[in-house]
Amino acid sequence: MTEDSFQKFDELCAGYVLNTLNSREHQEFENLLAKADNNQLKKYRYMRSAANHLAFAVKGTEPPEYVKNNIMTQIQSGFDDSKDERTDIIVSRGRGVKQQSASEQKDQETNWLFFAVAASIALLILCLSLVFYSFNLSSQINQHEETINEQQQIITELEQEIRYKNELLSVLESTDISIITLRGMESNPNGFGKIIQGSDTGATLIQVSNMQPVPEDSLYQVWIIRNNKYISAGTFEVNDAGNGFSRMDQGEDFNIRATDTFTVTLEPEGGSLQPTGDTYLMGSNGNRQ
Amino acid sequence: MIIFAALYGKTDGGSVDESELLIRIQNREPEALEQLYDLYKSHLFGLILSIVKKRKVAEQILQQVFLNIWQQAETFDAERDNVFNRLVTFSRSGAINYNRSSAPDQDNENAAALRETFSSIEGGYPDPFEATIDNDRKELVHRALSGLPEKQLDILKSAYYRGMTQEEIANSLNIPVEEVKKSMLEGIQSLEQTLKQFISGND
């Protein structure tokens, strides 16, 4: 190594330890330092140590107590346990000073944690709300279905009544009408009814009122008494008000005028071949109108 | 005891006290860092303040210096490393980098600053060179500096306490860069010679 190169090393070294080199010279000296022998390394260390002693020429100034508190708080709160939590003052030319404190990063992590917990709670509340809404909706649907069934039942009954009324109307529109009045018997003294037949179509109807409610597994049965013989003329039911209406299908040749008596008895469900129960209504041609 | 050792030279030679402090810091004892802080806080704060001239910034840099020591302690060699050198290096680097990055027109500002008297820098803080010498080491540093030619002294002040580059110093003094380099080397060598008993070749 020449004397010039020694001089260059020393000058760069002085500039380096005083931090006055430009970036090119800085890099140049670090390259020299990487290849430096022990004497050069020793020279560098002495020169650096001497430069650092200039700090002793500065009059000491007491920093505020909170600086120390900040330092101790940060290291005791695990400052060194995570590189991500470093408080760092990053200084570079043209970029200004960027200070990123551990507390700020911790705040960010806390914010994210808070956000995650809040989002989870919100999601849970949403799920519970949906379950409650679904349960409530299901309950409402059941109520509506019950209402629909009830309305359907009413509609069916009304349709039935309309059909009966139409049938009655068609009978009443006939040229000639035969009516036999049925009166309540001992078992049902308030009951009454009519058997109506139109001459044009031969259609025969029975209409009853104030009948007692029919026990379960029972129904009313109409009988024709002709020549002292009972002939079944059909069965019918009554509604909750005790009213009933039914068509008696005995064929085109059936003529109520040729019948002696009509009776209505209570029989087991499905009807009987001969009357077995009490007689509720009775009427004869003598009651014909 | 430690303070006495620090001020009278044992700390800058890898002394037992300072090595023990470093080992305890490596063992993650906060009390050791607290002792180190108490030992050097006023010198380092004064040094940083003399460069950045802003108290709040100086506080932040000082705080960062000790956090760096705590964080990087495991990479230090307790027997060979010199914590004082590390502290001063961190302090000056932080302060100089702050100045160089924050000044909009550093050349003009430095040139103006150099024409000022040292009593006016730091926004009214006392001239570091006129500070009271309260121990042997300070006295020796003061003696070494006062023995330097005026130009060499200006160059060292500009470099060390203002963080100016060699080119900036040359421009502000209107002298060639080569002369700045030569004067800087002579100044450091003179200081080194005077402080021989305190300085060491440790890292």
Side-chain angles (χ1 to χ4, degrees):
Chain A
M1 188 175 273
T2 63
E3 191 173 331
D4 284 348
S5 59
F6 277 122
Q7 178 70 17
K8 184 174 181 63
F9 181 90
D10 289 352
E11 284 182 359
L12 285 173
C13 188
Y16 187 81
V17 298
L18 287 169
N19 202 359
T20 58
L21 299 180
N22 60 36
S23 57
R24 182 184 56 77
E25 290 173 326
H26 187 91
Q27 186 60 49
E28 184 182 356
F29 181 72
E30 290 193 335
N31 291 339
L32 289 174
L33 204 56
K35 295 181 286 187
D37 57 29
N38 285 337
N39 284 335
Q40 287 174 315
L41 284 175
K42 192 174 178 182
K43 184 178 288 185
Y44 158 70
R45 287 169 186 155
Y46 272 102
M47 220 181 271
R48 187 187 61 187
S49 185
N52 284 339
H53 270 77
L54 287 170
F56 282 94
V58 180
K59 182 182 180 182
T61 304
E62 281 292 311
E65 190 62 23
Y66 61 74
V67 175
K68 179 180 174 180
N69 293 338
N70 285 347
I71 294 169
M72 301 314 295
T73 301
Q74 287 203 43
I75 65 171
Q76 285 172 345
S77 64
F79 165 81
D80 60 315
D81 292 334
S82 168
K83 288 180 179 178
D84 291 337
E85 291 188 5
R86 288 177 56 212
T87 296
D88 204 0
I89 298 176
I90 303 165
V91 184
S92 61
R93 283 180 182 273
R95 284 195 305 163
V97 180
K98 178 186 178 186
Q99 179 173 2
Q100 192 173 20
S101 71
S103 61
E104 283 173 350
Q105 289 205 353
K106 211 157 196 170
D107 284 348
Q108 286 178 352
E109 287 176 8
T110 305
N111 287 340
W112 274 110
L113 183 64
F114 175 78
F115 176 76
V117 170
S120 302
I121 291 171
L123 198 59
L124 184 64
I125 291 171
L126 181 65
C127 288
L128 289 173
S129 300
L130 284 174
V131 167
F132 177 77
Y133 177 72
S134 173
F135 178 78
N136 196 34
L137 201 61
S138 175
S139 176
Q140 284 185 355
I141 288 172
N142 288 337
Q143 286 181 353
H144 287 311
E145 281 179 348
E146 284 178 12
T147 305
I148 288 170
N149 288 336
E150 288 172 0
Q151 297 296 324
Q152 190 66 44
Q153 179 71 22
I154 292 171
I155 290 170
T156 303
E157 289 175 359
L158 289 173
E159 284 177 346
Q160 179 92 347
E161 193 171 338
I162 289 171
R163 192 168 65 249
Y164 290 158
K165 298 283 170 142
N166 285 337
E167 287 181 0
L168 180 61
L169 190 60
S170 68
V171 170
L172 293 175
E173 285 174 347
S174 294
T175 310
D176 190 16
I177 300 169
S178 296
I179 300 174
I180 292 177
T181 303
L182 302 173
R183 291 192 172 85
M185 302 304 289
E186 191 176 347
S187 304
N188 186 33
N190 294 324
F192 63 90
K194 296 178 189 72
I195 291 175
I196 308 167
Q197 187 175 52
S199 59
D200 293 354
T201 60
T204 307
L205 305 174
I206 180 170
Q207 182 270 324
V208 297
S209 298
N210 287 347
M211 298 295 284
Q212 292 180 357
V214 180
E216 196 171 353
D217 301 330
S218 297
L219 44 66
Y220 288 112
Q221 189 165 2
V222 186
W223 303 94
I224 300 169
I225 304 173
R226 186 181 295 158
N227 299 324
N228 295 321
K229 291 182 180 176
Y230 282 85
I231 301 167
S232 177
T235 59
F236 64 91
E237 295 177 348
V238 295
N239 59 22
D240 294 339
N243 300 323
F245 191 91
S246 181
R247 180 186 182 95
M248 295 170 63
D249 192 6
Q250 294 295 312
E252 292 181 1
D253 296 335
F254 177 65
N255 186 350
I256 65 171
R257 292 178 181 171
T259 301
D260 296 335
T261 307
F262 291 90
T263 62
V264 174
T265 61
L266 188 65
E267 301 295 335
E269 190 174 22
S272 303
L273 292 175
Q274 291 295 312
T276 59
D278 294 338
T279 300
Y280 282 73
L281 295 173
M282 181 177 282
S284 64
N285 264 321
N287 303 116
R288 187 165 60 84
Q289 294 179 354
Chain B
M1 178 66 182
I2 293 173
I3 294 174
F4 180 85
L7 296 180
Y8 287 86
K10 290 186 179 178
T11 58
D12 194 14
S15 73
V16 174
D17 292 325
E18 195 173 272
S19 296
E20 282 180 0
L21 271 184
L22 183 54
I23 289 170
R24 288 174 56 205
I25 291 171
Q26 287 174 330
N27 290 332
R28 318 318 273 163
E29 290 184 35
E31 297 78 14
L33 188 75
E34 190 174 5
Q35 287 179 17
L36 187 68
Y37 177 84
D38 289 337
L39 196 59
Y40 290 122
K41 61 179 178 184
S42 57
H43 285 92
L44 296 178
F45 190 59
L47 172 65
I48 296 166
L49 202 52
S50 73
I51 298 171
V52 300
K53 305 177 183 68
K54 295 175 182 172
R55 180 170 276 270
K56 280 291 174 192
V57 174
E59 290 170 7
Q60 288 180 355
I61 293 172
L62 180 68
Q63 181 175 318
Q64 184 58 44
V65 166
F66 281 91
L67 291 176
N68 283 346
I69 290 290
W70 180 260
Q71 195 171 39
Q72 298 176 21
E74 290 178 356
T75 66
F76 296 169
D77 182 341
E79 290 298 320
R80 290 176 49 81
D81 274 344
N82 186 310
V83 177
F84 174 74
N85 277 340
R86 298 265 184 169
L87 286 169
V88 174
T89 301
F90 284 152
S91 299
R92 288 196 67 239
S93 297
I96 289 170
N97 287 343
Y98 171 81
N99 271 1
R100 290 179 182 175
S101 63
S102 61
D105 188 350
Q106 197 66 46
D107 289 343
N108 292 340
E109 189 171 285
N110 286 333
L114 196 58
R115 286 192 291 274
E116 297 171 355
T117 63
F118 272 91
S119 60
S120 68
I121 66 170
E122 307 173 22
Y125 288 95
D127 180 359
F129 286 88
E130 293 174 358
T132 304
I133 305 300
D134 58 1
N135 59 66
D136 289 350
R137 193 192 305 233
K138 283 187 175 180
E139 189 174 337
L140 279 174
V141 173
H142 181 75
R143 190 186 303 165
L145 292 173
S146 61
L148 294 177
E150 188 177 349
K151 188 172 285 183
Q152 273 184 24
L153 185 60
D154 281 348
I155 288 171
L156 281 186
K157 286 177 180 177
S158 302
Y160 198 82
Y161 299 105
R162 293 199 176 99
M164 295 169 71
T165 64
Q166 291 174 337
E167 285 85 356
E168 288 167 347
I169 296 169
N171 288 337
S172 65
L173 293 176
N174 200 25
I175 57 174
V177 174
E178 293 308 315
E179 188 178 339
V180 172
K181 290 178 179 177
K182 188 180 173 192
S183 295
M184 197 171 279
L185 175 59
E186 288 171 354
I188 286 289
Q189 285 173 334
S190 175
L191 194 63
E192 185 183 329
Q193 194 63 31
T194 309
L195 296 170
K196 192 177 288 180
Q197 60 180 303
F198 290 116
I199 61 178
S200 71
N202 282 352
D203 284 332

